[in-house]
Amino acid sequence: MYESTPIDFNLFSQKPFFMMKIIFFKKKIYGILLLLLTVNLGIMAQNITVKGKVTDQMGNTLPAVSIIVYGTTQGTISDIDGNYTIEAPADGTLQYNFIGYSTQQVSVNNRQVIDVVLEEDLMRLDEVVVVGYGVQKKKLVTGANISIGAEELQRQSSTKALESMQSISPGVNIVQASGMPGEDFKVNIRGLGTVGQSAPLYVIDGVAGGDINSLNPSDIESIDVLKDAASAAIYGSRAANGVILVKTKGGQKGRITVSYDAFYGVQNVAKMAEPLNAKQFIEIYNEEWKTSGKPMAEITDFTTLKHWNQIQNGEFKGTNWLKEIENKNAPYQNHAINISGGSDQSTFALGFSYSSQEGVFGAPVEPHNDQYTFRINSDHVILEKNDMEVIKVGQTLNYRFRERSGVAIGGMYYNDIRNMLAGNPLVPVYNKNGDLFMYDDLVEYKIAAISPRLYNPIAQMVLDRGSNETLNYNLNSTAYLQIQPVKDLVFKSSYGYRMFANAYRNYQPQFHISNDVQLNPGRINQNGGSGYSWTLENTLNYSFDLDEHGFDVLVGQSVEKWGYGSQLNATNANPTFDGFKYAYLDNTDGITAGVTRTSGGPHDRGALASYFGRINYNFNEKYLLTLIMRADGSSNFAPDNRWGYFPSVAAGWILTEEDFLANNGVFDFMKIRASWGQNGNQAIEPGQYLDLIGFDDQQNYRFGPDRSNMQLGGFPDKLANQNVGWETSEQLDLGFDAYFLRSRFQLVFDYYVKTTKDWLMKAPVADIQGAEAPDINAGDVENKGFELGLRWNDNLGGFRYGAYFNITKNENEVTRMGDDSTPIQSNPSVISQGTDPVWRVETGYPIGYFYKYKTAGIFQNAKQIDEWEHGFLQSAPQPGDVIFVDTNGDGIVTPEDKTMIGNPHPDVRIGFGINFDYKGFDFAVSGKGAFGHQIMQSYRSFADNEYHNYTTDILGRWTGEGTSNRLPRMTAGNTANRQNVSDIYVEDGDYIRIQEITLGYDFKKLFPRMPLGQARLYVAGRNLITITDYSGMDPEVGYGDERSFVQGIDLGFYPAPKIYLIGVNLKF
Amino acid sequence: MKRIAYIVFAALLFSACDDFLGYEPLTEKTSDNYPANEAEVNQVLAGIYTTLTNEQRLGDQCYFFFMEVASDEKIGGGGQNDLKALSAESFMYSDPEMLAPNWQTTYMGIHRANYAIEKIPGLSDGVLEPAKKNQALGEAYFLRAFFYHRLATLYGRVPLKITTEVQELGAAEADDIFAQIASDLKAAIELLPSTPYTSTVEGHATRWAAQAMMARAWLFYTGFYQKSELPLAEGGSISKAQVITWLEELVTKSGHRLVDDFHQLWPYTNSLTINDYDYMVDYSQESGKPLNSLIYASNEGARNPETIFALQFNVYAGWDIDRGYSNTVMLFSGLRGQQKSFPFAGGWGQGNSVPKHIWEEWEADDVRRTASVIDIQSELPLYQRGQWDFVLESNYWGKKYNGVIHYKDEEKTKVSNDYGVEMYGNVDNDQLSHTDDQVYIRYADVLLMLAELAEEVIYINQVRARAGVAPIGGYSLEALQKERRFELAFEGLRYNDMRRWGAEYTKAALEKQNGSPVYNYGGAATFDVTKLNSKGYSTRYDETKGFFPIPQYQIDLSKGLLKQVPGWTTADLFKEFAQ
């Protein structure tokens, strides 16, 4: 037997390099050299044929286990039944390798049958994880990373990788932006560091800036999240918000394996909101007017309506608009085929997937999202010498096509869910002919005479908003050349290319739904664009040991350009065909002033040039040190501010490698880590340092008599800021990894303080400057908190079980805002027409906190009002009115008393799960939760639209002493109680949600002879249980006034569905 | 190791060049070389004018609206939650940012005018012939003065920024602001040619507009601040005699004249509507003037000889800042919630309730009364009172700036949202359709200013003659005041007229609104401002001098340099409508 140190190249002599050259150019010498090398390995024994079977501890056969004759490149892999055959020296050693299992070496000893049981590797310390520009042994990692494998991702029946990450990624906040199919997630790592670009950097197969949503989870081999600054620092200028590295599946040597994974599910609304029915609405409406004591000249109780009698006798209960748009049992499906295989020279992986989802709301124009992906990855060894891949090339390519449509899910003026909640129940959906109830019907039913604000919101959804289609085409590809002239000295040059195209069509016929909701003429909008970007990077990596000192040194350089391509947008009037199918601009007629619009332009262009270096050092794999430096030059900044430098340092100490802790009986493994680093953020619009003259078709002027003849306006539209530079995020991380009880119990803890300095923002500039503010480096934000991850895995005689729990606590605070500390605030009219701004960004508070009046309940009686000494917001308060709090104690209630009434960002998030696995059965539950945050809810325009419906919550209003201490009395549009936004619109958003429950069985157990490696069938339920006090349909409200840094504003949030599904996993 | 170094070095060479990191804007230009030619100068000018449409994007937050509602000729009704109107009426504020759109867009206009004033002189004669250069510069000076006049009359003291450089400024003295206005207008008068308006392009400021504006500024400054002359920024001053000379030049040389009939000034006499408008049909019969002689002077885009300076709208209105491409005042002040009020479009009914005493004090035989005011009860039989929680609704309604519709069919059953949909191809939308000029300066105003300055009755009588009312014997300020009130009612001029005629005059006029009969939610009531604001008109006027508050956020942003307008505190926040 020889020891594991392979060939002893002297690292500091030129000899190997020299030898390589000889190998390259003098083929004849090849055999001699090979001979010389093999001499070292001793005399080769006679080969014999060895057969056997590889199984796991529970007796499951393991296919695709790599088996090599140790010390050679000879090898094979086990087949679908775990069987293998290999030629090996009779006195040789076989090495069995399989991901997730401990590597095992077995001496052949002349045996012809060797069955092997591989043990699951609970600790997996030898596993490598992806770090920037390379991989690192997990054991030696000094940063706070999360590494998620394909298996974990696919455990969830979701077509969205981010959704699958939710419960298993402490410190990564992933919140659905909307529950509508095809909508994205809001992601931030360790809290919001900015009001600008706060999403992490996605690096897909080494190329920065890709879209993780363009991948099917089955395409993904691993996702690695770099949370701390030191880990992320290698990505410098764009890493301020953390980095998510995604690696798509590559090929493996051995026979071709084919897998098919699919599920089909039906989705339904998890929790319905309950709007008032017609009778209830009329009661509440009348109460409003009667109790307000105002004359009711035109305010009758709708007796003039044509269907008044039917309403009275209960024949017409009123329209429940939300129910009307429910799309019951909306299908959700996913199919993925993966094929991989390869030889010693080449490996490949192919993947195809199709997924499709319909929305649970929006019928008859329910949203849908259909997505197809195709992937081909391959690696090829061009030249191999001495067991060393000297020249290697490879490529990755992911293509995604997506087709989707949607309804309106924006702010209060563009939100169909809200419209259904507020839709008046007195209006029918369809007229007697079965057509949508339109203006003429409103007239006939005498509804139009009441107000143009009573109308059919479904007609609006269908005709105005619902006929659209978006097509997206995305291509992500890379190619690399890798040269390894000397063992472990690797030069790699890779080129990344990304391209995208999109096309959108929208159709709106001419309609007259009510006098407030009409469109004339009809119109068609088409827009689209395409673009590409490229990256070229070169790295040189050398890892070597000097006695007990281990080094891994990386230097590299990259250049990148994005924003090539262009986009076009055009709208025209007068469709010549009816129906969305024909929604092409060719099918429109003429040019119509005020409707016909065209625009087109380039994308925001930019470039980045970078140099970086990293040294990973370890002493005896006991003391660890990582140093990183990156320099980035960005086209977003003026030449003098173009370059930013991002250093980091991280250290680790593996205590269990110390003699005094070896075999301590408590820890199997214990590593403590500390890191510090700086990252940058450069995400601003380009050209901020220039004095730009803008043109805009909304800033023209008409001279002369012709109202359609406009003079183009040109104007200094933005103040230049020569000094704008990097936003820097500085982070300190202290943490430890500990494994106990034979590594069955694993604990990871991190404490961090992340300070974003000189954040990039459009600081408000006084209007007297006369132009739009440029981005400036204005303030600081601090995020601090901790993450704790616990995991238990065990195997009791074939009963494998596990559980995990993680908890994240984060505190977000703005610590500085520009020179003058002027807060940034929302626009008015966010939650209802005519209301003041509702959120702010201000020193001393979390980003985007809710800022309004505090209340102290409801005045219950006149005595309470008489004795009240703290001022009122009402001019003449009455019992049933809201008690607004005089927070500054000056005896009157004024706008100065507005204060923080809620924080949209949870203090604490948790993720948890359990899983069992026994004799082919598997069962898993996963869940998540968030605590300590608030949601601001408003489903109606309370001030200007008395015909908006209420939810049944209003039945709990104040109607007399002791009836309510939260909802004030009904008063017609009462300005003070309702128009002054206060915490009566704010609720706690705490929730725990069981995200998925799965029960599966592998029929391979039952029919071991079937020609499949796996034949698992499973059923699962998603979002079946949500525990919350929040009154809305879904407590996970990602919407926030169309701003990335605000969330938790529920204006009629499109909820996540409840799903039942059935799925299969087949392996051939 | 040498080889490693070599590879690294080669890699470094690959990029590192600053051209790679350069950025060139592809859809914008940079100020280095802009404007570089006549076409670009025209763009710069349009960029300034368009801020006026931006300013009027929201009809209840613009200068014109506040001038109207704060005066004695309108009561700030609307919905009970239309707080801007209610607040403007009662010298309260609806919210701390009440006038933010006005403040922001006006300074945007100033910035763009500053840019023009800084850049245009540098263009060589070869690029821009001197006459055109003078015209462009003259317009820029006029506009800057126009903007500062708005600020100085709405807020009083404001920052005076006459450069494009970023400056942190506190409020300037009123004297300095008016001196700058005077200097800019003087420069405009000197730069702009003395050609008749007919040889200028509609919409552009002219020498005549500058002269009229000078008179307006002169009268306000000397009246409100009790001064005898208007100072100039460069020293010296503008005397009354100088202003009279300029106005006389306007009268003799500009080509502007009064239109023949007062009704022709207003959109409801447009050719698509007039034949179906009973009031005009009756007037035609009574006056013996054929209907076709009474058609709107701006009909079909004709040039109204009386318009000296107006805001012009277009057919491209949308929902963003381009909403200002339509005349939103005609929407916001349109008859609230009406669907059967031909020829007047339904609207939101804000700030257009005319107190009864205005109607009553008007000479009944003065045709301008019914030409300017809708007597709802008698004129609109199908009018529905109390629409949409309507408060402070009056039976008398401003006629001049209410959207106008027309019948599309013979049977008179179908209307579009504005007659301009057919006449001009306006957007057909109930909110975006109105595009009639917002006239800022018209000739009758000039005549009356001249009468006031020169104390000459002849100009008053010219105006009266056109209105068909008898001449008066001699000039008196009282007669002049009355004449201005009725000739120029609801045109946004009354409030500053009141104020320049003195605080006593103003307070007396404001107080007269109390007791006006109104309807709240359709029920009869009596207007009493103290229910909106317990202090009442006179006290609030004394406290504020009639100025309105600077948007609080702008004060917060001023690094302590800017102070709120005296008389405005957070206690002046409008709470809720109470009867």
Side-chain angles (χ1 to χ4, degrees), chain A residues 469-473 501-505 526-529:
Chain A
E469 172 192 84
T470 307
L471 306 179
N472 297 102
Y473 311 81
N502 53 60
Y504 171 84
R505 296 189 297 135
Q526 250 189 287
N527 68 56

Side-chain angles (χ1 to χ4, degrees), chain A residues 14 17 21 289 293-298 439 448-453 489 491 515-516 518 520 534 536 538 540 555 557 559-561 593-594 597 601-602 605 607-609 611 633-635 639 642-643 686-687 689-695 697-705 707-717 719 764-771 819-820 822-825 836 853 872-876 893-896 943-944 946 972-976 979, chain B residues 1 3-4 7-8 11-12 14-16 18-23 25-31 34 39 42-47 49-50 53-54 80-81 83 95-97 100 103-104 107-108 111-112 115 139 159 161 164-169 201-204 301 310-318 320-322 325 339 348 384-389 408 417 424-430 435-437 520-523 553-554 556-557 559 570-571 573 575-579:
Chain A
Q14 293 287 326
F17 204 81
K21 287 205 155 175
W289 287 92
K294 289 166 182 168
M296 301 192 27
E298 306 299 328
Y439 179 69
I450 294 171
S451 168
R453 290 168 185 187
L489 173 66
F491 169 75
N515 272 351
D516 269 4
Q518 50 174 313
N520 181 23
W534 58 261
L536 179 67
N538 296 294
L540 189 64
V555 292
Q557 158 278 333
V559 287
E560 188 173 336
K561 272 213 168 186
R597 281 200 178 177
R605 293 190 182 193
L608 200 63
Y611 304 95
S634 166
S635 64
R642 201 157 268 170
W643 286 88
Y689 57 91
L690 298 170
D691 273 306
L692 294 175
I693 302 299
F695 306 93
D697 67 0
Q698 301 196 19
Q699 299 270 342
N700 297 337
Y701 195 71
R702 168 204 142 209
F703 297 106
R707 280 169 164 73
S708 53
N709 186 6
M710 302 294 279
Q711 165 65 50
L712 175 68
F715 48 92
D717 67 338
L719 302 167
V765 164
D767 287 343
I768 63 164
Q769 310 304 348
D819 303 334
D820 46 15
T822 313
I824 301 175
Q825 60 188 16
D836 286 353
Y853 291 104
F872 308 102
L873 208 50
Q874 296 88 350
S875 45
V893 183
T894 68
E896 282 159 22
D944 71 331
E946 63 269 41
N974 185 310
T975 301
Q979 186 74 349
Chain B
M1 288 304 277
R3 280 180 176 78
I4 299 170
I7 292 166
V8 172
L12 291 178
F14 192 84
S15 68
D18 249 4
D19 278 354
F20 181 80
L21 295 177
Y23 172 76
L26 298 175
T27 57
E28 290 169 299
K29 297 185 179 178
T30 67
S31 63
Y34 184 91
N42 290 335
Q43 292 165 10
V44 168
L45 288 179
Y49 282 96
T50 195
T53 63
N54 296 347
Q80 63 171 344
N81 291 309
L83 301 191
D95 63 87
E97 310 303 321
W103 180 271
Q104 186 196 12
Y107 271 107
M108 201 183 278
H111 181 64
R112 295 177 187 185
Y115 187 83
E139 289 183 50
K161 187 165 176 292
T164 54
E165 269 168 47
V166 172
Q167 287 181 323
E168 309 293 346
L169 297 170
V201 178
E202 196 171 355
H204 283 281
L311 179 57
Q312 305 202 142
F313 302 94
N314 61 69
V315 297
Y316 299 106
D320 296 321
I321 195 75
D322 55 355
Y325 281 178
Q339 298 175 35
W348 297 345
Q384 285 186 297
R385 194 150 276 155
Q387 283 292 293
W388 306 350
D389 59 29
K408 291 204 287 194
N417 287 298
Y424 304 115
N426 292 355
V427 177
D428 189 10
N429 180 286
D430 61 335
T435 63
D436 293 307
D437 285 357
N520 293 329
Y521 315 102
Y553 199 49
Q554 298 304 315
D556 296 345
L557 281 170
K559 303 186 166 65
T570 50
L573 186 77
K575 291 191 170 179
E576 64 189 311
F577 180 78
Q579 294 197 59

Side-chain angles (χ1 to χ4, degrees), chain B residues 448 451-452 460 475-484 501:
Chain B
L448 293 176
E452 189 173 354
I460 297 179
Y475 175 86
S476 72
L477 179 61
E478 198 186 338
L480 181 277
Q481 286 172 338
K482 213 172 152 191
E483 204 56 44
R484 278 191 76 83
W501 290 327

Side-chain angles (χ1 to χ4, degrees), chain B residues 182-200:
Chain B
S183 292
D184 284 352
L185 289 173
K186 183 161 175 279
I189 293 168
E190 286 162 1
L191 286 162
L192 293 167
S194 174
T195 50
Y197 84 91
T198 43
S199 56
T200 65

Side-chain angles (χ1 to χ4, degrees), chain A residues 2 93 267-269 288 293 322 330 390 459 483 590 628 736 821 881-882 948 991 1058:
Chain A
Y2 51 84
T93 303
Q267 313 167 90
N268 282 294
V269 178
E288 231 182 82
L322 202 61
V390 179
I483 299 171
I628 295 176
F736 65 87
S821 296
D881 281 348
V882 172
H948 270 173
Y991 75 92
K1058 175 174 74 177

Side-chain angles (χ1 to χ4, degrees), chain B residues 245-259:
Chain B
T245 309
W246 275 326
L247 289 190
E248 284 170 349
E249 190 197 352
L250 194 169
V251 168
T252 53
K253 289 193 183 162
S254 71
H256 286 295
R257 61 175 175 81
L258 296 176
V259 299

